[in-house]
């Protein structure tokens, strides 16, 4: 491999291949590992992790994980992953979210840029219904990250009491202050996006005792976007309005994230001792997706590249071949005959 974005025989990848070969299921493992799947969100950047999850499903790894961790769109992707039908769910990003019903920058001064009501009451409830019971009854727990505003801390929730409780957790985890005003409530406490104080979900899996972690990142490797600085200034202003100390802790979380990116790169390319972590992220030459991306073409290209990337990781292919076009995915085209029943 000319550029070691990850080690092709990384212990995490080898453990997943072995579980696939044995056709392991939860509760009937042929190893002593605890393999966690962590899913980064980031608004519309979630199309990247959604496509990676679709690839994992197609590659026979839908049942290879012992726990799933995510926040924001990453948590929603994780919920859909537990229910199956990844290809149909992937299209949510370009078919239903690239609309003013969901994103409207003109609403900045008179309301919310994002309409989460549309997401939960129309998309998740009607257009592409989320099977809440499948998530609640899954042997593999979904841990959703939420920031508790008044306690100034991040929690992960997996002990959902009902469909409504799970829905509230997903909504709280997606409540990004830069795009949605104020806070929401989760179990009676003011809550917002889980990434505000813990910006990368691999930390949740390690804290939960996972021995192996497959991390799905949605931001490309390399330098952070210059526009990120401006977004952080606006975010810090918004957070100061919500409560004392929140902005200061968010700044520290941003510094922590920069260190995490370097650490994840090292753990992926040169694994040494457990716990093992491999991070799969868009490569530097791949075009990044903005959190409020509305360009359908960009979303589809990003999804295709992310699917290719995960395929390369699992099958031991050199990801550099993606740039030459020698490795390339052909997207499925299939009729959806379920839409008339909704």
């Amino acid at each position: 491999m000319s550029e070691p974005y990850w080690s092709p025989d990384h212990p995490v990848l080898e453990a997943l291949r072995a579980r696939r070969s044995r056709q392991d299921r939860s509760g009937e493992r042929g190893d002593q590992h605890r393999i966690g799947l962590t899913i980064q969100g980031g608004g519309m950047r979630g199309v990247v992790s959604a496509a990676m999850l679709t690839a994992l499903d197609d590659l026979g790894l839908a049942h290879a994980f012992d726990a799933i961790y995510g926040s924001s769109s990453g948590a929603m992707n994780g919920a859909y992953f537990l229910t199956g039908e990844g290809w149909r769910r992937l299209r949510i990003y370009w078919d239903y979210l690239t609309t003013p019903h969901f994103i409207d920058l003109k609403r900045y001064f008179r309301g919310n840029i994002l309409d989460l009501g549309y997401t939960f009451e129309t998309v998740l409830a009607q257009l592409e219904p989320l099977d809440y019971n499948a998530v609640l009854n899954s042997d593999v727990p979904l841990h959703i990250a939420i920031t508790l505003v008044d306690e100034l801390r991040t929690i992960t929730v997996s002990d959902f009491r009902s469909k409504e409780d799970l829905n509230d957790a997903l909504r709280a985890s997606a409540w990004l202050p830069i795009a949605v005003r104020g806070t929401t409530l989760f179990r009676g406490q003011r809550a917002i996006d889980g990434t505000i104080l813990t910006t990368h979900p691999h930390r949740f899996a390690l804290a939960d005792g996972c021995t192996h972690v497959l991390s799905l990142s949605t931001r490309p490797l390399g330098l952070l976007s210059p526009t990120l600085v401006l977004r952080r200034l606006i975010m810090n202003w918004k957070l100061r309005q919500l409560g004392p100390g929140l902005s200061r802790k968010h700044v520290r979380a941003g510094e922590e994230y920069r260190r995490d990116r370097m650490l994840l790169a090292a753990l992926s390319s040169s694994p040494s001792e457990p716990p093992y972590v491999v991070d799969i992220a868009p490569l530097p030459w791949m075009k990044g997706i903005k959190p409020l991306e509305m360009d359908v073409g960009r979303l589809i290209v990003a999804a295709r590249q992310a699917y290719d990337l995960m395929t390369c990781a699992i099958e031991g292919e050199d990801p550099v071949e993606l740039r030459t076009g020698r490795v390339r995915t052909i997207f499925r085209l299939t009729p959806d005959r379920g839409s008339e029943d909704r």
Side-chain angles (χ1 to χ4, degrees), residues 251-327:
V251 170
R252 287 203 294 267
E255 296 168 352
E256 182 181 84
Y257 178 69
R258 285 188 286 273
R259 292 193 296 270
D260 279 352
R261 284 170 65 98
M262 292 186 288
L263 176 62
L264 286 170
L267 293 174
S268 299
S269 61
S270 304
S272 56
E273 58 185 27
Y276 298 109
V277 182
V278 63
D279 183 57
I280 309 300
L283 305 185
W285 55 268
M286 294 179 175
K287 288 190 176 181
I289 296 295
K290 299 188 293 292
L292 302 179
E293 184 66 68
M294 294 188 70
D295 188 306
V296 172
R298 281 179 174 269
L299 291 168
I300 293 176
V301 168
R304 181 174 192 165
Q305 290 176 334
Y307 187 100
D308 289 344
L309 201 60
M310 183 55 65
T311 302
C312 284
I314 298 300
E315 302 295 4
E317 301 282 351
D318 187 342
V320 174
E321 299 292 352
L322 296 176
R323 195 166 193 175
T324 66
R326 293 177 61 183
V327 176

Side-chain angles (χ1 to χ4, degrees), residues 18-26 28-31 63-64:
R19 284 191 173 183
R20 178 175 62 175
S21 179
R22 295 190 302 264
Q23 297 186 345
D24 276 7
R25 291 293 189 273
S26 178
E28 301 176 355
R29 300 299 189 197
D31 56 51
H63 303 284

Side-chain angles (χ1 to χ4, degrees), residues 22-175:
R22 295 190 302 264
Q23 297 186 345
D24 276 7
R25 291 293 189 273
S26 178
E28 301 176 355
R29 300 299 189 197
D31 56 51
Q32 299 299 312
H33 308 320
R34 178 173 169 80
I35 304 182
L37 174 63
T38 68
I39 311 168
Q40 189 177 35
M44 296 297 280
R45 279 202 306 267
V47 73
V48 172
S49 53
M52 291 179 180
L53 292 170
T54 301
L56 288 173
D57 198 351
D58 285 350
L59 292 165
L61 291 166
H63 303 284
F65 302 96
D66 300 303
I68 298 175
Y69 308 81
S71 61
S72 187
S73 54
M76 293 185 200
N77 291 344
Y80 276 121
F81 181 66
L82 287 175
T83 68
E85 297 186 325
W87 279 102
R88 180 191 289 179
R89 306 318 184 189
L90 178 58
R91 73 177 189 178
I92 286 174
Y93 285 91
W94 52 75
D95 276 354
Y96 301 130
L97 299 185
T98 54
T99 166
H101 292 303
F102 178 55
I103 301 174
D104 189 349
L105 295 175
K106 292 182 292 186
R107 289 198 298 255
Y108 180 79
F109 294 105
R110 57 184 175 85
N112 299 322
I113 295 176
L114 299 183
D115 185 347
L116 293 182
Y118 168 77
T119 305
F120 286 91
E121 294 154 24
T122 301
V123 179
L124 272 71
Q126 301 175 34
L127 298 176
E128 291 295 344
L130 173 64
D131 187 348
Y132 285 88
N133 286 326
V135 180
L136 294 171
N137 298 325
S138 173
D139 292 334
V140 178
L142 173 64
H143 299 257
I144 299 178
I146 298 169
T147 298
L148 298 181
V149 173
D150 298 311
E151 295 188 12
L152 295 178
R153 68 186 181 100
T154 306
I155 62 170
T156 55
V157 184
S158 59
D159 60 333
F160 307 109
R161 304 164 182 172
S162 63
K163 293 167 59 176
E164 292 74 22
D165 194 46
L166 172 56
N167 185 81
D168 288 347
L170 288 169
R171 185 187 293 265
S173 190
W175 201 276

